[in-house]
Amino acid sequence: RKVASTKMNSDSSRSHSVLSIYLEQNAPDGDTMNSQLNLVDLAGSERADKTGATGDVLKQGALINLSLTVLSQVISGLSKNSQGGSAQVPYRGSKLTRLLQPSLGGNAKTGLSIHCSPHSNNLEETLSTLEFGKRAKLIRNAA
C-alpha cells in the first residue's frame, strides 16, 4: 500500500488494495465447489484544491478518481439492470472493475461498508459516498 502526505491527510492512501482468497472444497462424491473472497479497501476520492497535491501525488489522485468514477458507472449500470433496465455495464473501464467483475454481478454475494467524514468541509464528498452506497444497495445478484 502506497501512502503520501497531503493537506487533508498525513497518511493518504495512494492506491486501492485488493486481497483475494480462493477456496476449493472437494465433496466426498467428487464434486468440487470453488469460491473467491475479495476484500477491497478503496482509496478515497480527492479534490486537488483541497489536498494541495502536486506532481506524482496529483497524478495518483487523478488515477484514483478515474477508477472510482468507472466503479461508480459499473454500480450505476448494475443497479439500473436490477430494476429492470438494460444498461451497459463498463467493467473494462478500469483494472479495478475488471478484477471485481465476478464479485459485482452474477453469482456473488457482495457486502459494502462506506465511511464518511462528519466534518462540514467534506459535505460534498460525504453526500457522493452515500449516493454511491444507495445505488450499490439496489444491485441484486443471482447468489
Side-chain angles (χ1 to χ4, degrees):
R1 186 169 152 243
K2 195 170 191 178
V3 296
S5 182
T6 68
K7 285 183 183 177
M8 292 183 69
N9 186 348
S10 60
D11 291 318
S12 178
S13 180
R14 310 314 305 156
S15 61
H16 306 304
S17 298
V18 179
L19 172 65
S20 296
I21 301 170
Y22 299 92
L23 304 168
E24 183 176 298
Q25 182 179 14
N26 296 314
D29 64 1
D31 285 346
T32 301
M33 181 186 298
N34 294 304
S35 300
Q36 178 179 349
L37 173 66
N38 289 316
L39 302 173
V40 182
D41 179 21
L42 297 174
S45 63
E46 297 185 349
R47 296 194 177 273
D49 57 335
K50 282 188 176 183
T51 63
T54 58
D56 285 344
V57 176
L58 180 62
K59 288 178 188 175
Q60 291 164 351
L63 292 172
I64 289 167
N65 288 346
L66 177 62
S67 67
L68 291 173
T69 298
V70 174
L71 178 60
S72 184
Q73 291 169 345
V74 167
I75 295 296
S76 215
L78 290 170
S79 64
K80 287 177 186 173
N81 292 348
S82 291
Q83 296 176 335
S86 60
Q88 174 69 25
V89 181
Y91 289 114
R92 295 182 183 177
S94 78
K95 290 178 183 178
L96 177 68
T97 54
R98 190 75 174 147
L99 178 69
L100 297 178
Q101 183 175 352
S103 298
L104 294 172
N107 186 20
K109 292 187 181 184
T110 303
L112 176 68
S113 174
I114 57 174
H115 303 270
C116 302
S117 170
H119 199 281
S120 61
N121 285 348
N122 300 321
L123 179 61
E124 193 173 332
E125 289 88 348
T126 296
L127 290 175
S128 175
T129 300
L130 292 171
E131 283 296 322
F132 175 83
K134 183 179 175 182
R135 283 192 311 273
K137 191 175 176 182
L138 297 172
I139 297 171
R140 298 291 175 250
N141 288 336

